[in-house]
Amino acid sequence: RESEKLSLEDAARRLRYEFFARVAEQRNADFVALGHTSDDQAETVLLHMIRGSGLSGLRGMDFQSNVEFSGVTMKLLRPLLNISRQDTAEFCRAMNIEPRLDESNLSNDLSRNRVRLDILPEMEVINPAVKESLIRLSRSVARDFSYLQGQVDAVLSTVVRIHDGVVEIARNAFDSLESSIQSHVLRRAVLLAKNDLTDVEQIHIEEMARLMSGQPGKSLNLPGGLQFLVSYDVAFIGTDGSIPCPLPPLTGETTLQIPGETRVEDWIVTVSLINRKDAVSDIQPTGSRLGYMEQLAVPDDELAVRTRQPGDRFQPLGMSNAKKLQDFMVDEKIPRHWRDRVPLVVTPRGIAWVVGWRIADWARVHDDASQVLKIEFRLDPT
């Protein structure tokens, strides 16, 4: 399974489950019973800790769970999860049963075997009951996790929806959630997008949460060929090419009324003239569609909106020189299929604001400014 970039353990696990799925379908089985013991549970929890798992991983394995392989949904049972490996071995001896031995279980080349053969014995020197401690941890986490999932169920419909096969997460609604709930909402959103959480790790969830509070256009590749992409008001989870551009098309150049409200196709742009002190907390770009620039940077109040043109250059805030707008968009990781629709606020001097990303350095508001132009873009809800 080199083409799928799977470890030997993961590849073997998938092959086993694909076999179980085929047999379960052929036999019309209600459940597939697995032989995991409490020792396996302790090893699983420790492995997940080592890999930096979140609460979901620290639960370990469930007594009953559903998985889908080869298009077949299986109900898995783990009836021995409360019984130790030693007890099962003694039962086999008492019943004159000789269980099969998988020789790969003796190899330290596999991470689970290193945990079983090396790490846990070392931990038992410190705490002989370390396996029981790990199992208690898994049960405690499972209780808390169950409660959190109930909280996710209560808010999910207000935050997440599926549209045309793409999962959408409303940013404002997401921001209003407690941080302890946010990560679980993101996990549920990924589950809705790919039907499982295979290979989805806590580091993916944490990076998604970070991007949710940042600028639009940022993206993250997720396991299973999915992409997470943050737009202005919504974040998307979908396959490459399925995520729509949230920006309406723009044609030509439209002069803005100062002060006043101007309709620019599907955009409504409001320009206000305010005092410097009223804009203090919002001078720096925020990744929103609200921007500020010094009035003196706009001679004769000549302000217009258009999209990019060949040869455009832009001097981002904090830079002493201009650069190609194309290079700026690439550096900012603005998705390729957005770039021709990103609104630009322009003056006779050039691009003053790449809406949603950066104000021009020459248009920034200085501390001694008296009048400031406040510019807000919003989409016409109709």
Side-chain angles (χ1 to χ4, degrees):
R1 295 238 174 175
E2 292 183 4
S3 61
E4 298 182 35
K5 299 181 178 179
L6 299 177
S7 68
L8 178 61
E9 292 170 282
D10 288 337
R13 175 182 174 273
R14 293 194 181 192
L15 287 173
R16 285 197 304 272
Y17 279 75
E18 287 169 2
F19 170 76
F20 293 154
R22 290 195 302 270
V23 175
E25 186 177 37
Q26 291 168 3
R27 300 296 180 90
N28 196 27
D30 293 326
F31 295 95
V32 174
L34 304 176
H36 294 118
T37 65
S38 62
D39 293 68
D40 296 309
Q41 182 75 302
E43 294 162 8
T44 297
V45 173
L46 185 55
L47 269 172
H48 288 170
M49 291 175 65
I50 293 170
R51 292 168 178 168
S53 173
L55 289 183
S56 178
L58 295 183
R59 292 178 304 149
M61 295 176 284
D62 295 322
F63 283 96
Q64 179 178 332
S65 59
N66 296 336
V67 297
E68 182 177 334
F69 278 90
S70 302
V72 178
T73 298
M74 293 185 294
K75 293 181 179 180
L76 302 181
L77 288 182
R78 298 180 175 89
L80 305 181
L81 207 54
N82 276 336
I83 301 175
S84 71
R85 186 177 296 130
Q86 180 179 346
D87 286 343
T88 61
E90 290 178 355
F91 177 83
C92 289
R93 282 194 294 270
M95 300 299 293
N96 292 319
I97 298 173
E98 185 174 351
R100 291 185 179 180
L101 174 65
D102 183 348
E103 293 185 0
S104 68
N105 288 339
L106 304 177
S107 169
N108 274 13
D109 292 337
L110 304 180
S111 55
R112 178 176 286 273
N113 292 349
R114 288 199 295 273
V115 166
R116 177 185 303 141
L117 302 175
D118 297 332
I119 298 176
L120 273 172
E122 287 293 327
M123 296 177 71
E124 286 175 327
V125 173
I126 301 172
N127 177 10
V130 66
K131 292 179 183 177
E132 290 79 0
S133 297
L134 290 168
I135 292 168
R136 285 198 302 273
L137 172 64
S138 73
R139 291 171 180 167
S140 175
V141 170
R143 287 193 296 269
D144 291 347
F145 187 82
S146 178
Y147 170 78
L148 289 169
Q149 291 308 294
Q151 299 301 302
V152 171
D153 292 339
V155 302
L156 192 67
S157 63
T158 65
V159 184
V160 177
R161 74 165 188 158
I162 301 177
H163 182 68
D164 291 339
V166 176
V167 174
E168 300 180 359
I169 308 169
R171 294 185 70 180
N172 285 340
F174 179 85
D175 289 343
S176 69
L177 300 175
E178 294 287 340
S179 59
S180 59
I181 301 297
Q182 288 180 340
S183 62
H184 295 282
V185 168
L186 291 174
R187 288 183 65 86
R188 186 72 65 84
V190 175
L191 180 61
L192 290 171
K194 71 188 295 284
N195 296 321
D196 62 55
L197 291 170
T198 303
D199 298 327
V200 178
E201 300 178 357
Q202 185 65 14
I203 191 171
H204 295 119
I205 302 301
E206 291 176 357
E207 181 64 9
M208 291 170 68
R210 187 185 70 81
L211 295 181
M212 285 293 290
S213 61
Q215 287 186 327
K218 303 297 184 182
S219 63
L220 172 70
N221 291 327
L222 296 173
L226 293 178
Q227 183 184 47
F228 174 72
L229 190 150
V230 178
S231 179
Y232 289 92
D233 304 314
V234 175
F236 301 96
I237 305 176
T239 56
D240 187 27
S242 69
I243 298 177
C245 176
L247 305 173
L250 281 175
T251 57
E253 183 171 306
T254 303
T255 300
L256 298 179
Q257 185 175 340
I258 306 177
E261 185 174 280
T262 308
R263 185 178 187 90
V264 184
E265 299 191 36
D266 289 337
W267 292 105
I268 297 175
V269 185
T270 304
V271 182
S272 307
L273 192 61
I274 64 174
N275 293 324
R276 168 68 174 83
K277 61 181 180 61
D278 295 326
V280 168
S281 63
D282 291 298
I283 294 302
Q284 298 300 321
T286 61
S288 71
R289 290 174 289 197
L290 176 64
Y292 296 88
M293 64 184 65
E294 191 164 312
Q295 186 190 23
L296 293 178
V298 187
D300 301 320
D301 287 346
E302 293 185 43
L303 210 57
V305 175
R306 63 168 174 83
T307 54
R308 64 175 180 167
Q309 296 176 354
D312 270 341
R313 297 183 68 80
F314 175 59
Q315 183 185 349
L317 182 68
M319 294 188 63
S320 57
N321 297 308
K323 62 192 301 185
K324 292 180 180 178
L325 178 63
Q326 166 71 10
D327 292 343
F328 171 79
M329 289 184 163
V330 171
D331 291 344
E332 290 295 306
K333 296 182 172 58
I334 299 176
R336 185 185 303 273
H337 63 295
W338 289 22
R339 296 173 192 170
D340 286 330
R341 296 189 179 190
V342 174
L344 307 174
V345 175
V346 298
T347 76
R349 180 170 176 175
I351 300 171
W353 182 26
V354 179
V355 177
W357 276 269
R358 200 85 65 87
I359 206 83
D361 190 79
W362 53 265
R364 73 187 188 280
V365 178
H366 295 82
D367 291 339
D368 59 354
S370 57
Q371 296 292 300
V372 173
L373 292 176
K374 175 184 177 182
I375 309 171
E376 183 174 12
F377 279 69
R378 67 182 189 276
L379 288 170
D380 186 349
T382 60

